[in-house]
Amino acid sequence: MSRLPLGEMPGGIHPAEHKSQSNGTPIQQAPLPKRLILPLNQHIGAQAQPCVAVGERVLKGQLIATANGTISVPLHAPTSGIVSFIGPQPYPHVSGLLSEAIVIDSDGLEQWVELSPCADYRSLAPAELLAIIRSAGINGLGGAGFPTAVKLSARSAQKIHTLIINGTECEPYITADDRLMRERATQLIGGIEILVQLIAPEAVLIGIEDNKPEAIAAVQAAIGPRPFTLKVLPTQYPSGGEKQLIQLLTGAEVPSGGLPADIGMLCLNVGTVVAIHAAVLEGRPLISRITTLTGAALSRPMNIEALIGTPVGELLAFAGLQEAQLDRLLLGGPLMGFSLPSLEVPLIKTSNCLLASTATELPPAPPALPCIRCGDCAEVCPASLLPQQLHFFALGQQHEQLKTHNLFDCIECGACAYVCPSNIPLVQYYRAAKADIRELENKQLKAEQSRQRFEQRQERLRGEQEQKDAERQARTEKVARAKAALAASQTSAESGALPAAPQGLSDEQKKLKIAASMAQVTLKKAEKQLALYTDKGGDTRELQAQVAQLRSAALSAQSALDAALATAPAAASTPDAELALKKAKIQVAMLRAQVRKFEQLEEPNAEHAKQLQGLREQLAAAEQVLEGLPSQPPASLAPPVLNAAMQALKQAKIALAMRRAELKKAEQTGAEELTALRAALAAAEQALHAAEDACGKPAPNLQRLDKQPIDETTRALKTAVALARADLRKLERDPDTPEAALSDARQRLLTAEQHLQQQHS
Ligand code: SF4
Ligand code: SF4
């Protein structure tokens, strides 16, 4: 924060004041107009939102439009009447464009809405005071129109230590604040006390130019013993600029692009402070203001308190407008004001002066000449800018240069244009350049927002596509796995072979697989033999018994393999375990059904009994295997394959013991089916071999276990049987063996077995 000597500001001019035209008479009350036009955007920020409808009767002071967001201001009915129109209406702007407005036809009754004055405002919290000011629809009455409640809501980091009250009114012709301070100094000081209650500043400074002695006296008297400081400033234009006044009163300089709050200061116009007083202590919303009616085209210049929305033509008529004399009608003073497009436009909250000038009073500006680089404009600029450079950059639309040269610090005071010997309308160039830059920045902002929305949408679409791809890939893989499992299952079912073994089988699994394959091959061969004998009508009982035993052995071997595949953590996957469990259950169910079928026979013969016995044994083995399988697929390193294999081994041992007991009993009783029982015993021994292989145990010494004392004759007969059987098998392996030779070999084997059987018996 830089400092200049107190009471000084850079630049400034001393134009003719012309204030005496209007400040000699007290403030007049304007007559009630028949029709009021209330624009919705009488302030900086978002325009208010109508909350009344056409045809609705409203009371004086009633809310007719609500604030639209934080930077906005509500609007109230200035008188009682009927809402006759809501839509585009004439608006006091240099463009002459229409603006949205609420039109009220006055009923002449001036019937007030019920007000809520608050005499004891010191009991209110700051937020409550602020809410009153906000709901009263107050914005700055000095010209800019910034929402006052927003201005008073300084962030906590911006502690306001100095409250500055602006009573300078430096522009020629305008005397509204002068008359207000003279006549309503008490309300002014009352409003300052409300502000002190609200923001608790350390100092209050009131600045008034020395060309208003009556106002200075009135305010000083109203201040009384209060710790408010009234500073009288030399008359100089534009001392009323916010930044300039702060500099004049405190020596502090608001930084470029900054706000007074940035340096702990807050500046309010005297009219605004009086409006705050009325809002809090009387409960009155802002529905009227004091404005100066002046200019040589008026026969009775004055200051007048008029309702917001009063057409300016009616006000000027009240002040004795001589339309024949009227050359230009300005809203504001001759330096910062602008020409009004018609007399139909309404008075709004920021209208501080209507200047009806004659041609001799404010003659048209002469044609502009080229800049002679005299530097006078820079001499008078209160913002320490280089107006001629800004003019040069504005002509070339060099926006970056304009921003670099602090175009937006220009307060459009017009001092530069006032002194320019080339009559260049400098301020118009600056306004146009500011509008261009703001429009361009708005476009860039919108384009950036559009770009961000587009990128966010692209990102979202990309994410959705990636998710779809991942889901599609997962579905494809799932289908592929299901197809592979189905194909493996079909292959296994069609060939009777084992399901495809996973990669990396353990040694035990390999042994089980080999044993199961061998058992299947043996079984198929026996079945083939049985089918052949059956076709020839021979006695197949022995062969049937053999097939039954081999089937049991094959089942045991395959179940042991299934169990190993299902439970082995390294080799069996979850689907394999499920498959093994499923197959074991199916096998059990099928055997149970077959057992039930035989059990339900009304007159079973010996063959039926034998088959039933074989099926029961198979069922017992299958149930044993099923019990050895986990009911759920293994989730981790499951029970070792050895458990299932041991179960199968145990079952095989039991089967072998049973066969052996049956054979022994038959031999002792001289039964005829010795051959079949011996074959069953051999099959049981084979199954035991397979089961022991699966367990990794050495093969049992069957010779020793089966060793029986035999004589030489028996041994010779057995040898004969073995030789006959070997011959037969040799012939059977040769596909070209004549049927007669096969028949002879079978007969020899049968004869040898009969001889052996006779020997045993
Ligand atoms: S006062 Fe006018 S002529 Fe002189 S430098 Fe400024 S713009 Fe140019
Ligand atoms: S209008 Fe802008 S550039 Fe000209 S004197 Fe005023 S602040 Fe300076």
Side-chain angles (χ1 to χ4, degrees):
M1 185 172 68
S2 64
R3 284 185 174 274
L4 290 175
L6 288 175
E8 291 187 11
M9 73 170 193
I13 55 176
H14 300 84
E17 294 182 8
H18 298 286
K19 292 184 182 276
S20 58
Q21 287 186 26
S22 58
N23 67 359
T25 55
I27 299 169
Q28 306 286 307
Q29 290 295 323
L32 180 66
K34 291 183 179 177
R35 193 164 176 265
L36 293 161
I37 301 170
L38 299 149
L40 298 171
N41 56 341
Q42 302 183 40
H43 52 270
I44 288 176
Q47 74 175 23
Q49 293 275 11
C51 57
V52 293
V54 173
E56 185 177 338
R57 182 170 189 266
V58 294
L59 299 178
K60 186 176 180 127
Q62 179 181 330
L63 182 70
I64 58 173
T66 59
N68 184 15
T70 304
I71 313 297
S72 187
V73 173
L75 191 59
H76 302 77
T79 187
S80 57
I82 304 295
V83 176
S84 60
F85 182 77
I86 299 176
Q89 287 290 299
Y91 180 78
H93 190 264
V94 67
S95 67
L97 295 175
L98 302 181
S99 178
E100 292 292 307
I102 298 173
V103 179
I104 296 176
D105 290 344
S106 166
D107 59 11
L109 301 176
E110 289 278 77
Q111 188 177 357
W112 272 95
V113 73
E114 186 177 353
L115 302 179
S116 302
C118 181
D120 184 20
Y121 65 85
R122 287 186 171 83
S123 65
L124 299 179
E128 293 172 301
L129 267 178
L130 207 57
I132 293 174
I133 295 168
R134 180 180 291 113
S135 61
I138 300 173
N139 52 251
L141 301 187
F146 194 79
T148 302
V150 179
K151 199 171 188 177
L152 292 170
S153 306
R155 295 186 293 273
S156 57
Q158 298 169 326
K159 167 62 182 166
I160 302 300
H161 54 71
T162 305
L163 174 63
I164 293 175
I165 306 301
N166 189 350
T168 51
E169 199 172 48
C170 56
E171 186 154 2
Y173 285 95
I174 306 175
T175 59
D177 287 348
D178 181 7
R179 291 303 318 187
L180 178 136
M181 287 186 286
R182 292 191 207 184
E183 300 178 35
R184 301 183 186 177
T186 303
Q187 291 92 320
L188 172 63
I189 300 305
I192 294 173
E193 288 189 306
I194 293 170
L195 291 168
V196 169
Q197 170 75 13
L198 178 61
I199 60 178
E202 297 167 11
V204 175
L205 303 178
I206 305 170
I208 305 176
E209 281 183 318
D210 59 8
N211 60 354
K212 305 176 186 62
E214 296 88 348
I216 292 168
V219 171
Q220 188 63 66
I223 290 174
R226 296 175 184 82
F228 305 157
T229 303
L230 172 59
K231 286 202 172 188
V232 179
L233 306 171
T235 301
Q236 184 185 20
Y237 180 85
S239 60
E242 192 173 60
K243 293 181 179 179
Q244 287 68 41
L245 180 61
I246 289 172
Q247 203 163 359
L248 280 168
L249 291 176
T250 69
E253 187 175 356
V254 178
S256 174
L259 296 171
D262 296 338
I263 57 172
M265 299 192 188
L266 187 85
C267 188
L268 290 175
N269 168 266
V270 289
T272 309
V273 178
V274 171
I276 289 172
H277 177 270
V280 175
L281 292 178
E282 301 172 27
R284 289 166 53 114
L286 180 60
I287 57 171
S288 66
R289 69 156 296 147
I290 298 168
T291 189
T292 300
L293 305 177
T294 188
L298 299 180
S299 60
R300 290 183 291 115
M302 66 176 75
N303 281 285
I304 192 170
E305 182 167 22
L307 296 179
I308 304 298
T310 304
V312 298
E314 293 190 32
L315 294 175
L316 294 173
F318 183 72
L321 174 65
Q322 303 168 53
E323 291 198 36
Q325 302 292 317
L326 181 64
D327 181 59
R328 292 175 64 195
L329 175 60
L330 298 179
L331 181 64
L335 289 165
M336 296 187 74
F338 57 88
S339 296
L340 287 176
S342 80
L343 295 175
E344 300 297 320
V345 299
L347 185 81
I348 63 174
K349 294 179 182 179
T350 54
S351 306
N352 59 353
C353 178
L354 289 169
L355 174 54
S357 65
T358 63
T360 53
E361 187 179 22
L362 293 177
L369 299 173
C371 172
I372 59 173
R373 296 202 174 270
C374 63
D376 289 354
C377 51
E379 286 288 324
V380 299
C381 179
S384 301
L385 302 176
L386 296 173
Q388 75 276 24
Q389 286 298 106
L390 293 175
H391 172 233
F392 175 76
F393 294 137
L395 280 174
Q397 295 187 323
Q398 299 181 55
H399 292 167
E400 289 306 314
Q401 288 285 10
L402 286 166
K403 285 191 273 188
T404 302
H405 284 73
N406 302 318
L407 171 68
F408 286 91
D409 282 350
C410 169
I411 61 172
E412 301 175 16
C413 67
C416 51
Y418 182 80
V419 298
C420 178
S422 296
N423 302 310
I424 300 173
L426 296 167
V427 179
Q428 293 180 26
Y429 282 104
Y430 306 152
R431 284 176 180 158
K434 285 181 181 178
D436 285 350
I437 292 172
R438 288 193 181 108
E439 184 180 354
L440 191 63
E441 288 179 344
N442 278 339
K443 285 181 180 175
Q444 289 172 341
L445 180 64
K446 287 180 180 174
E448 175 65 15
Q449 290 170 341
S450 298
R451 186 187 64 78
Q452 289 179 358
R453 281 198 300 272
F454 174 77
E455 289 182 354
Q456 288 168 355
R457 180 174 181 274
Q458 290 297 101
E459 189 63 29
R460 178 171 52 80
L461 292 177
R462 189 159 44 242
E464 291 175 356
Q465 188 61 43
E466 287 176 359
Q467 186 176 354
K468 284 180 184 174
D469 290 344
E471 290 173 355
R472 189 179 299 120
Q473 179 71 16
R475 284 198 299 273
T476 304
E477 291 175 356
K478 187 177 179 182
V479 169
R481 283 198 301 273
K483 282 183 179 176
L486 182 60
S489 173
Q490 287 174 343
T491 303
S492 174
E494 288 168 3
S495 65
L498 297 169
Q503 297 294 320
L505 291 177
S506 65
D507 291 338
E508 288 77 12
Q509 288 171 324
K510 287 176 183 173
K511 286 178 183 176
L512 284 173
K513 187 179 177 186
I514 293 168
S517 300
M518 289 175 64
Q520 284 288 340
V521 170
T522 306
L523 174 62
K524 286 194 176 296
K525 194 179 282 183
E527 286 174 339
K528 198 173 175 183
Q529 195 80 13
L530 176 61
L532 191 63
Y533 271 77
T534 303
D535 291 341
K536 291 183 177 180
D539 184 0
T540 60
R541 286 177 298 175
E542 184 180 348
L543 276 174
Q544 284 178 1
Q546 286 182 354
V547 166
Q549 295 301 323
L550 291 172
R551 187 177 291 123
S552 175
L555 176 65
S556 297
Q558 183 159 343
S559 297
L561 175 62
D562 290 343
L565 292 174
T567 56
S573 63
T574 297
D576 291 332
E578 290 175 344
L579 185 61
L581 183 64
K582 189 176 178 184
K583 286 182 70 175
K585 286 180 178 176
I586 292 171
Q587 187 69 28
V588 167
M590 288 174 63
L591 288 170
R592 279 178 183 158
Q594 290 181 33
V595 167
R596 270 200 302 275
K597 190 175 175 184
F598 277 94
E599 286 174 341
Q600 289 170 357
L601 288 174
E602 291 184 2
E603 294 181 3
N605 55 28
E607 180 60 30
H608 292 153
K610 190 178 291 181
Q611 290 184 12
L612 177 59
Q613 176 65 21
L615 287 169
R616 281 174 176 161
E617 290 168 1
Q618 293 176 41
L619 177 58
E623 287 176 336
Q624 196 78 20
V625 170
L626 180 60
E627 286 176 9
L629 292 174
S631 58
Q632 295 296 330
S636 62
L637 297 180
V641 65
L642 201 55
N643 288 346
M646 289 299 290
Q647 296 277 7
L649 176 63
K650 185 178 177 184
Q651 183 62 33
K653 284 181 178 177
I654 293 170
L656 179 64
M658 289 175 68
R659 299 290 86 74
R660 188 173 288 138
E662 288 170 357
L663 178 60
K664 189 173 182 181
K665 186 178 179 182
E667 287 172 341
Q668 290 171 349
T669 58
E672 295 181 0
E673 63 275 8
L674 284 175
T675 304
L677 290 174
R678 288 180 183 131
L681 178 61
E685 288 171 349
Q686 289 293 330
L688 182 61
H689 283 309
E692 286 175 330
D693 284 342
C695 294
K697 286 195 168 187
N701 188 347
L702 295 178
Q703 193 64 33
R704 181 176 57 79
L705 288 174
D706 198 30
K707 193 173 182 180
Q708 295 180 25
I710 57 173
D711 54 27
E712 287 300 320
T713 306
T714 302
R715 187 184 307 279
L717 290 173
K718 282 189 175 182
T719 303
V721 169
L723 290 171
R725 186 176 290 129
D727 290 343
L728 176 60
R729 286 179 179 170
K730 186 176 179 182
L731 292 172
E732 285 175 343
R733 283 196 293 271
D734 186 354
D736 298 329
T737 302
E739 185 56 35
L742 281 173
S743 180
D744 288 345
R746 289 186 186 116
Q747 186 57 49
R748 278 201 306 277
L749 176 59
L750 185 60
T751 303
E753 287 175 341
Q754 285 173 348
H755 289 161
L756 180 61
Q757 190 175 351
Q758 288 170 1
Q759 173 67 14
H760 283 161
S761 62

